[in-house]
Amino acid sequence: MIRAIQWATGALGRTSLRRLIDAPDIELVGVHVYGAAKAGVDAGTIARRPLTGVLATSDIEATLATPADIVIHTPRITLPYDALAEDVCRLLASGKNVISTAGFHWPAAQGAAYADKLKAAAIEGGVPLAGIGVSPGFVVERLALGATALCSHVESITMQETVDASAMASPAFVFDLMGLGSDPAAGDIRQGPLATLYTALFSEVFHHAAAALGTSLDRLDPDHELTLAPHDMAIAAGRIAQGTVAATRWRWTGHYGNGIALTMSILWTADRALHGDTAPGHWTITIKGRPDVHMTLDISEADPAAPPSRALSDATIAVALNAIPDVLAAPPGLFAHMPASPWKGRFA
C-alpha cells in the first residue's frame, strides 16, 4: 500500500484528493492546506467523500513528520516562480517523493542555484522530485517529442494551445494569473511579472526538449500578443471591461544547436469567437520535416452538467498519479519523463 499526502486542496487539489481516497492501493495519510478554515477538517468532507479519519493541517511541521511515500503537490503556481521551492525542499529532505503539478519540470532551466538546492534536498532525503502535468509536462515533452520518431529529418516543431476561460469561476486564476481584464494603459503584462512567471515555467519545456533531442537551447525568443475586449464581456469569473485584455497569447520560439526551432503558442481567451478560425481545439502539434506530422489533441468533459474545465483537471491529476510507480522506482534526484525514442539526428 502506497502512503500518500495531498498538498493543497484548491480545485486541482480536491480532484487529486478524491482520486487518492478512491484508489484501492493508496492509503491517504495526510492533507496539507494553506487556510485555517480547512485545518482540522476531515479529508472526506473536503473531497465530498465519506469521512476518512484523516484531518487536514496547515502546520508544515506536522506534515513533514507524517510518514509517507509520496506527496502530490498541487498548489496554484505563484509569483515569483520560485516561491514554492522552499516547501518542496523540506518535503524532499524529509524523505518524501514529490510529484508536483506546479512547476519543477526541468529545474536546471532556472539556473544552477535553483536546481542544485532541489537536487541536494532530494539526495538528502533519498527521493526524486518530479514535475508532471499536461502542459507543461506531457503535450510537448512526451507527445510532440515522441511523434518526432516518425521523422527521418526534423526542421521545426510547433505546439499551439487554446484554453477557453469563459467558464472558469475563479477570479484569482482568470484575472490575476491569466491576466485577463488587465488594463494595458496601466501596464503591459507582456513586460511585467506575469511574463517573467510564464517564461520561467515554459522555459523548462524548451530545456527538456533540448535534452531529449540531444542538443542545446541556443536562444529563446518571446513574441507575446494581447487581444483587447471589443465590448464589455461577462464571464463566469466576472466582468471584462471594453478595452481591457480579453485574451493573452504567450508565445516563444526556441532555437537549438542542431537547427531545429520549437515554437510554443499558449492562447488563453475569454471568448474563442475573438480569434476566428485561428483557435482550434485545445492543442495542435505540427512537425515540419520528412514527413510532416500534424496532430490535434482535445480533452473534453462528457457530462454536460459539469464545468468544461473539469476535464483538464482530471487529465492533469491522471498524468500525475499514473506517474507514481515510475517516480517511486526512480533514483534520488530530479526526475523527468522522457519521450519514447524521439528523433535522433545522429546515432553514435
Side-chain angles (χ1 to χ4, degrees):
M1 186 73 73
I2 298 168
R3 301 167 299 171
I5 291 173
Q6 173 58 42
W7 182 289
T9 57
L12 193 60
R14 288 194 301 276
T15 297
S16 178
L17 186 56
R18 294 182 191 109
R19 301 295 171 265
L20 293 175
I21 291 172
D22 294 346
D25 50 357
I26 292 178
E27 178 188 3
L28 181 72
V29 296
V31 178
H32 189 88
V33 295
Y34 287 107
K38 293 179 182 177
V41 178
D42 191 279
T45 301
I46 296 173
R48 298 181 181 177
R49 290 291 190 269
L51 296 180
T52 64
V54 177
L55 303 182
T57 180
S58 58
D59 180 358
I60 189 171
E61 298 299 337
T63 298
L64 293 172
T66 301
D69 302 302
I70 193 95
V71 176
I72 307 301
H73 181 258
T74 63
R76 184 175 294 162
I77 292 173
T78 60
L79 286 164
Y81 180 70
D82 62 359
L84 301 172
E86 181 179 352
D87 287 342
V88 170
C89 283
R90 297 185 70 186
L91 289 168
L92 294 167
S94 73
K96 297 173 179 60
N97 298 268
V98 176
I99 293 176
S100 180
T101 61
F104 309 102
H105 303 279
W106 198 269
Q110 313 306 331
Y114 177 84
D116 287 352
K117 68 179 180 182
L118 290 165
K119 184 175 182 179
I123 297 298
E124 178 184 348
V127 292
L129 164 64
I132 295 174
V134 173
S135 180
F138 181 87
V139 175
V140 171
E141 297 92 318
R142 296 167 69 184
L143 187 61
L145 291 175
T148 63
L150 297 169
C151 302
S152 60
H153 174 67
V154 176
E155 297 174 3
S156 66
I157 305 167
T158 301
M159 186 279 277
Q160 299 182 72
E161 173 179 307
T162 301
V163 175
D164 184 349
S166 61
M168 295 181 178
S170 169
F173 188 80
V174 171
F175 298 130
D176 296 342
L177 274 180
M178 297 185 94
L180 303 191
S182 61
D183 184 357
D188 188 342
I189 61 172
R190 294 173 295 179
Q191 307 298 326
L194 281 183
T196 301
L197 172 67
Y198 292 123
T199 297
L201 174 64
F202 287 102
S203 70
E204 301 196 5
V205 179
F206 289 91
H207 284 269
H208 189 142
L213 295 169
T215 187
S216 59
L217 177 63
D218 292 346
R219 192 173 80 250
L220 188 62
D221 295 336
D223 181 24
H224 310 315
E225 296 177 357
L226 303 178
T227 299
L228 304 185
H231 49 75
D232 288 354
M233 304 173 68
I235 60 175
R239 176 178 172 272
I240 296 177
Q242 180 179 1
T244 63
V245 174
T248 59
R249 188 188 298 274
W250 304 102
R251 181 167 49 208
W252 304 265
T253 297
H255 299 273
Y256 292 96
N258 60 5
I260 293 176
L262 168 61
T263 298
M264 295 185 64
S265 175
I266 317 293
L267 173 65
W268 294 328
T269 182
D271 185 354
R272 294 175 68 99
L274 293 171
H275 312 284
D277 295 329
T278 64
H282 236 143
W283 291 278
T284 61
I285 296 167
T286 301
I287 301 170
K288 302 294 289 183
R290 185 169 183 178
D292 290 350
V293 179
H294 184 82
M295 298 186 291
T296 299
L297 172 66
D298 190 61
I299 296 174
S300 59
E301 174 53 56
D303 183 355
S309 59
R310 189 175 78 172
L312 184 54
S313 294
D314 283 343
T316 301
I317 294 305
V319 170
L321 298 192
N322 285 331
I324 288 176
D326 293 337
V327 173
L328 292 180
L334 304 178
F335 173 90
H337 266 128
M338 299 303 284
S341 301
W343 174 85
K344 291 289 189 290
R346 302 181 67 176
F347 303 105

